[in-house]
Structure formats: structure tokens, C-alpha cells
Amino acid sequence: MQSTDKILVLDFGSQYTQLIARRVREAKVYSEIYPFNFSIKKIKEFNPKGIILSGSPASVYDKKAPIVDKEVFNLGVPVLGICYGMQLMTYILGGKVAKSQKREYGRAELNIDKSINLFHGSRNWLSQPGQQHGTTIVWMSHGDRIEEMPAGFTSIAHTDNSPVAAMANIYKGLYGLQFHPEVVHTPYGRYILENFVYKICGCSPTWTMKAFVDYSVEHIKKVVGKEKVICALSGGVDSSVVAALVNKAIGKQLICVFVNNGLLRKNEAKTVLDTFKIHMNLNIKYVDATKRFLKRLKNITDPEKKRKLIGREFIAVFEDSAKKTGKMDFLAQGTLYPDVIESKSFKGPSATIKSHHNVGGLPTKMTFKLIEPLRELFKDEVRVLGKELGLSDELIWRQPFPGPGLAIRILGEVTENRLKILREADAIVLEEIRKAGLYRDIWQSFAVLLPIKTVGVMGDERTYENVIALRAVTSLDGMTADWVKLPYDLLVTMSNRIINEVKGVNRVVYDISSKPPSTIEWE
Ligand code: XMP
């Protein structure tokens, strides 16, 4: 992002690192995260107006503790160390770090001793407003503490357990906080971070979505020139926003391919096509590959086999249609910032639980240059961008839908008839969730078709039919999730409607498992 004011966050492995970057962005200053060992040369190239050292699960005395180059403190750029970042600053600059007598986790009362620099303006939000001194609540999570500050530093706040809970060396522009200003449990943390980025680093709040759109449009135009771009549309938020952005930049030089794999929700293909073709005037190539996918899925019941097969088939279909569009030079993808940092984070990748397939996983052997205009954004920022680009709320707030579609919600073999049953049941679930005004608050809500039949009685007749499971979860990022305590009345309506209206179903159950130990999708 071509913005003059940038904050660099160096990641030492804290679970809150991403939050630091987000808070800075919320202050309308652009920030990026890099691993702790990002070289001094690269830092200079990045040219930040300020640097933040994150926390870490490590202790500075651990043999394998992540350490930063000392030079970082001599660049003439203000540095703020948070928790481990502060301890590391202390350790490297000749102060003393020791184990706390008491580990300090959670809520703590911070005594602000000087309402200056990081605490500028704190008189307005202290326990005794208008005073120089006073207390405020902060969130602590540390085992080590500062025993002796490096030369040139002054303590500006303390807690009962940490004599130096915040320190500053204003001449060198170095600052440290023992607590986490980035978490919501530090209610005035936002002001402290804003003091750092505005007052200390001198950044201006210029990073807005409008500025991002203007910059991206210019950038895409310049990079693409007169060449052509292809984009795989799924109807989800990320690929839709990418298509809208690239379309704004280069119009008809963009061709979008929308593959109907036959595993979409009821009316989904038509809705996506109408949105993009009619309302947004995009250049879309629609490929109905339903038959191809269903043929491949015949007799397949193993979840991983289904996923891999669908992923491979998607690439094959995409390649076939790309060939027919004539020469394409670029592939536009909806890669987001968390995907980017995941791959270069301090921590290693976690075990593969399921083979994910999505349009971002394209193609291995095709010879496209990539454009990934969202790779600097978080999911909620993508939504704001979508709004800025004029996408409808309905599209922007769509619940996530997995690449392999309904195939992983039909346990057992995927057939046309089973797809039909699931589509009808699923449409009822969504309609009722929307009617109840819960669609946006719920991360995902959907129906699952089980591979068993049960006995029922309808009229005076015995039935032996399918079971539908309902699933509704809340989540922040899909990594963990909890089942939603849906109102009984709503469950009653959904169950009645599904059994009465969907031929082939005589029982509905509700999934009350969280993730972990379950997962969101059933396969
Ligand atoms: P699980 O079932 O692993 O799902 O708890 C976590 C989130 O990921 C979505 N999901 C997928 N998304 N391609 C996708 O694009 C996939 O293959 C895929 N599998 C699961 C799931 O819907 C949930 O939001």
C-alpha cells in the first residue's frame, strides 16, 4: 500500500499480534506485521514511521527466545514494546528483567504516574478525571517483569505487582508497556495506541477505504496495462469484492468465470449471475459443470476423497474455460491478509484437519501472473471495501459457504435426488433465520442431510425417510465456534416446515456441538 505513514509490527508470536495491527488500522494508519527477524535492510525499505514489538509466549531468558536486532532501536524511528516487546527492549538495552513474584494474568489496576506521551490526555479517562495521577483498568498477561530500566528510561505507570508497568525514553523515542493496550479488556488502550501513532510517530489518519480504492485502482491499471485478467467468482464476499475492484480499474479487460459445480444452494447460481451480470455489468463467463461434478462424485462417500476430487475438478473446469477465453495474463485472487501472515508467522502451521478447497487455491500449473488486491486487508475491512464499491448488503454480509458446497453437507453419496432434498431444507433454514433477524449475528446456519433413515408416521401411514440435522454456530474466524441457542419457537417452525414441505424427510435434529471438539461442517 502506497501510503506515506506506516507502522511496522514485529511479531514475536503473541496471540494478540493481529489485534495490534487492526487497532492501528482502526486509527486510520496503515500497518503491517512481519516476523521478529525481519532484517534491518527490509525495515528501512519498508520505511515505517513507528515500530511496535509484539508480545510473545517466550521469556527473554529462554534459549530459543525470539530476539530482535539491536539496531532497531537506533533507526531514529519510535519503537513501542508491548509486554514481551518491552522486556526484550529492556534486556537488549542493558536493563534487568526478572521473573515476577506473582504471574499477572487478566485485569489489573494501572496507576498512571505521569499523564504524558503514551498517556497524553489520560486526565479525561482516569479514575479521578482532571488529576495528573489516577488509575485505569488494563489487561496483563506476563510472567516476567522489569526489575531495572535501561539507562535513559523513566517509569510512567505501575501496578501493585509491576513497579514499571510503562516506561519511556523520550529522547530516543523508545516506549514500553507491560500490559496489552490492543485488547478490549484494556478499555482506554485505543487512546494509548493512538498517542503512539499520532503524537509520538507523527502519523496522520489518512488510511481510509476510499484512499485504498483510489490507490488500488491506479495500481491495478498500472500493473495490468493492456493485458487481460481472469477471476474465479464464487459469489462469496472475497471473490466478489476482488471482481468489483478489478472491474472498476480495468472494466472489460477482466473476465470472470463462474463455475456452477452443481453443489450450490437453491437459486444460488441465478442470484450470483444476476448480481454480477445485470447489476454490476461484469464480463462473466458462466460454466454449468453440474454433470461433470456429479459424475465424478458417483459412489464416493469418503469426506476427504470428496473434497480432493471437487478441488481437482474445479481446477480442471477452470483451466478448460480459461483456454476458451483466449490468452489471459493475470489471475485475480481474493487472498486476505490473515492468509498471508499465516504463512510467515512465528508459529508453525497447524495440522491439516480437512483439505480446504476454495477459489483462492487455484491453479498449480497454469502460467498466470497473480494480482491479489486484498492481501493487505482483514475480513471486516473487505466488507467495508465492498460497501465502498457499492456491493449490496446481502452480498457483503453473506455467511461463509465452503468451496465443496453441499457435497460436504450430504453425508454419504451425493446424488441429484439427495441434493434436491438438502437444497429445499436448507432454503427453509435460511428463510426462517433471516425472518427471525438472526442472519448477520450467526456465523453460519445450514442444514445437513444424514446418511440414515428413520421410521415416522404421517397421517396414518408409516414412513421410512431421511433425517435433516440443523446447524447454527457463532464464531469470529471459523477456527473455534459455539452452537447457537436458537429460540425454541424458531426450531419448531423450521422442523415443521422441513418435515411438511420437503418430500423425503420425516425427522429433524439440532446439532449442539461446539468446535472443538467437533468441526463446523460435518465432513
Ligand atoms: P470446519 O468444518 O473446518 O470449517 O470447522 C471452518 C470454516 O471453513 C469453512 N470450510 C471451507 N471453506 N473451502 C472453503 O472455502 C473448504 O473446503 C471448506 N471447508 C470448510 C466452513 O464452512 C467454516 O466456515
Side-chain angles (χ1 to χ4, degrees), residues 340-399:
V340 179
I341 33 180
E342 194 94 312
S343 55
K344 60 182 185 192
S345 126
F346 172 56
K347 286 175 252 169
S350 50
T352 303
I353 310 289
K354 300 177 181 182
S355 315
H356 275 221
H357 145 68
N358 52 39
V359 292
L362 279 174
T364 43
K365 36 187 204 326
M366 298 177 81
T367 51
F368 291 123
K369 291 175 268 184
L370 278 185
I371 32 176
E372 299 176 307
L374 310 185
R375 57 184 287 126
E376 292 165 353
L377 303 185
F378 290 104
K379 186 82 174 186
D380 50 347
E381 292 173 331
V382 171
R383 291 204 161 108
V384 180
L385 174 60
K387 186 105 191 140
E388 181 75 36
L389 289 165
L391 298 184
S392 68
D393 275 2
E394 201 181 329
L395 210 160
I396 291 171
W397 287 100
R398 264 185 64 143
Q399 292 179 354

Side-chain angles (χ1 to χ4, degrees), residues 212-227 229 241-254 280 282 332 371 373 389:
F212 181 84
V213 171
D214 293 345
Y215 163 75
S216 301
V217 164
E218 278 319 301
H219 184 70
I220 293 167
K221 270 187 187 157
K222 206 163 103 199
V223 170
V224 173
K226 293 203 167 5
E227 298 190 300
V229 180
V241 172
V242 167
L245 186 60
V246 178
N247 182 51
K248 190 175 167 83
I250 56 163
K252 296 289 177 212
Q253 282 165 264
L254 168 71
M280 287 178 57
L282 274 187
I371 32 176
L389 289 165

Side-chain angles (χ1 to χ4, degrees), residues 31 55 58 62 119 141 181 236 250 254 265 290 310 314 330 346 385 387 420 442 459 481 483 512:
S31 78
D62 289 349
F119 300 124
S141 172
I250 56 163
L254 168 71
R265 288 178 145 167
T290 304
I310 294 168
F314 186 87
F330 288 90
F346 172 56
L385 174 60
K387 186 105 191 140
K420 189 161 169 266
I442 289 177
W483 62 281
I512 53 168

Side-chain angles (χ1 to χ4, degrees), residues 307 354-358 400 402-404 443-444 478 515 519-521:
R307 284 174 166 277
K354 300 177 181 182
S355 315
H356 275 221
H357 145 68
N358 52 39
W443 172 262
Q444 273 171 301
K515 172 183 180 177
T519 52
I520 296 177
E521 306 289 347

